[in-house]
Amino acid sequence: GNWVCMEMNGLFHVGTLFPEFRDASTWRQFAAERLHRELTAQVYPDGAQIELAPGYHGVSLHNFVGTMRLAQLNDMPLPEDYATNLERMYNYYLKIAMPDRRTPALNDSGWGSVMKALREGYAAFPERKEFQWIATGGRHGTQPDFASCALPYAGWYVMRSGWQKDALYLHFEAGPFGYGHQHEDKLSLIVHAYGKRLLNEGGVYAYDSSQWRRYILSTRSHNTVMIDGLEQKRRGAPRETYVSTAPLPNRWLASDTCDFAEGWYDEGYGEDKKRIATHHRRVLFVKPQYWLVIDRLTPADNAAHRYDALFHLNTADATTDDATGAVLGTTDGQPGLAIVPLTEEARAVEIINGQEEPCVQGWVPGGGKYEMQPIPTPVFTSEAPGPVTMAWMLMPLRPDEALDVASCELAASDAGETAVITFKDGRSHLLLLRNGASKTISTAGATSNAEITLIERRSDGAEQRLVTIE
């Protein structure tokens, strides 16, 4: 990981700054060759460093670049493609940048800026005008020619409405555990919209043994699902399972009207790593309005199990809307987020804020190294035998904007689950979630044989299929 980069960069510096030592040239050669190998060994083809922590990605990059700069200053050779291999590490920052030009706080990382890294990236690769565009706040260069993107080795999926500071952005983490600095956070989500981070997550806390450190490492501080009160448990598995050796088999689809990504967690829960159930999460971006989050929990037995879906809001308050069952995260004069349940199994909710007993819940790191701050954390709970589908609409709200949904009618049958979402302007969206055993599913006069179908029905009766996922 990043340690060997620091060690080899240091060795190259010693060999360069003290040429009078007999073995100086050997040190330089060894360090340069090892770093060149590490550019392949610890950097995926999609640009992500294998620890899957943006902060430590920067540590490795800093040390790769430190050796290159010292070599250039002293006219010392490096392997021919050493510099070109760094481009994908800079491109990683472009891919994951949030609208506020920060990185998502994944694993042991904070909300770091991408600006300095992309300024360096543009200086090293001046043909990358999109690096310049981000680094200069759009004053120079060229806006990126993509919005949403996938990192298929990292298992990260970024859904954007555009590159404006008020664009809608969602990050979905569906990859391996990571080589180091890991959190138990698979299938977690981060949302930024209208200029504010709205769906938060654990981030990083001081490297101590406190309850706060244990909390931010745990599933409880992330936006995913716990089963029977137990957290994900990947730590302690064979280390080779912490990294990807090929692109992951997750589906990723992107178009002008929608993005779709999916992932699975089936690696066990609790200290005993009980394989209680498989969590299959699908995320659908209905551009440019909202996201659908669809969880399918399939147990390994016939017993009833409890499923707790966590959402950490970055808002001052959270209330429930009686008409829709939605949780509304709001802050006066700032953007907010509505979490609208779309299946009966997702309607029961408790909003936890700053809890320490019986377990820590509803906190994120504060401004200082040892500070934590309470946040409203809706926990949607379902308990049932057999497969369970829990689904929500995540709809960002502009400052002081009311929820545009008038009602949400839910239904479940042997064929699957349906929702009819009626907006206040008379439009309705018909969501049909067909389960694998059925051939077709119907609601409100609409029928589909696809796995996921979203139909818009206007007030004049005209219909348009917005999304079809086979």
Side-chain angles (χ1 to χ4, degrees), residues 214-261:
R214 294 193 298 273
Y215 168 70
I216 66 98
L217 293 174
S218 74
T219 304
R220 281 178 286 122
S221 74
H222 298 89
N223 302 308
T224 186
V225 174
M226 295 171 56
I227 302 181
D228 292 341
L230 301 175
E231 302 167 13
Q232 296 177 5
K233 185 64 175 179
R234 291 191 280 181
R235 196 176 306 277
R239 199 173 182 99
E240 59 268 20
T241 67
Y242 292 175
V243 297
S244 301
T245 57
L248 296 169
N250 305 332
R251 279 183 298 177
W252 164 252
L253 305 171
S255 71
D256 292 339
T257 58
C258 71
D259 299 328
F260 173 82

Side-chain angles (χ1 to χ4, degrees), residues 17 100 125 154 157 189 368 393 453 461:
L17 299 176
D100 61 0
F125 304 98
Y157 305 94
L189 307 168
M393 167 196 285
T453 306

Side-chain angles (χ1 to χ4, degrees), residues 237-308:
R239 199 173 182 99
E240 59 268 20
T241 67
Y242 292 175
V243 297
S244 301
T245 57
L248 296 169
N250 305 332
R251 279 183 298 177
W252 164 252
L253 305 171
S255 71
D256 292 339
T257 58
C258 71
D259 299 328
F260 173 82
E262 70 178 346
W264 290 262
Y265 180 79
D266 60 358
E267 299 167 65
Y269 292 83
E271 290 302 316
D272 297 332
K273 299 187 179 182
K274 298 177 182 177
R275 294 184 179 256
I276 306 168
T278 295
H279 177 195
H280 178 204
R281 172 163 279 185
R282 293 163 288 178
V283 182
L284 181 67
F285 184 20
V286 183
K287 297 179 178 179
Q289 296 175 275
Y290 61 82
W291 293 274
L292 300 175
V293 178
I294 304 161
D295 288 336
R296 181 75 169 173
L297 290 309
T298 305
D301 57 25
N302 296 319
H305 294 281
R306 172 176 169 157
Y307 306 104
D308 294 317

Side-chain angles (χ1 to χ4, degrees), residues 1-164:
N2 70 85
W3 286 11
V4 73
C5 293
M6 286 189 277
E7 292 162 355
M8 292 302 102
N9 185 32
L11 184 61
F12 188 88
H13 273 68
V14 171
T16 302
L17 299 176
F18 298 97
E20 61 270 25
F21 285 116
R22 181 184 62 240
D23 294 331
S25 63
T26 301
W27 298 339
R28 293 194 304 270
Q29 182 179 356
F30 179 87
E33 290 177 353
R34 179 63 189 271
L35 283 169
H36 183 243
R37 292 201 305 272
E38 290 298 314
L39 274 167
T40 300
Q42 68 172 271
V43 183
Y44 290 129
D46 58 26
Q49 193 260 2
I50 59 175
E51 289 169 88
L52 298 179
Y56 287 99
H57 178 105
V59 172
S60 286
L61 177 58
H62 174 78
N63 284 282
F64 286 131
V65 171
T67 288
M68 181 181 71
R69 287 178 176 164
L70 191 64
Q72 291 169 341
L73 286 169
N74 290 275
D75 294 322
M76 292 176 175
L78 290 176
E80 185 176 350
D81 61 347
Y82 187 99
T84 57
N85 279 336
L86 294 172
E87 183 178 359
R88 67 180 184 272
M89 293 192 75
Y90 288 112
N91 199 47
Y92 158 93
Y93 287 107
L94 182 68
K95 290 178 179 178
I96 68 171
M98 298 193 301
D100 61 0
R101 308 311 185 229
R102 295 187 176 275
T103 60
L106 301 164
N107 287 325
D108 275 342
S109 294
W111 309 96
S113 173
V114 305
M115 304 293 278
K116 180 181 177 182
L118 289 178
R119 280 196 296 270
E120 292 177 352
Y122 175 65
F125 304 98
E127 70 280 7
R128 295 300 304 269
K129 299 297 184 183
E130 62 269 53
F131 291 176
Q132 183 189 31
W133 190 85
I134 294 289
T136 63
R139 293 187 300 275
H140 304 287
T142 305
Q143 180 176 301
D145 61 1
F146 68 94
S148 301
C149 64
L151 283 71
Y153 286 80
W156 292 358
Y157 305 94
V158 175
M159 302 179 181
R160 289 185 183 88
S161 63
W163 288 97
Q164 303 83 2

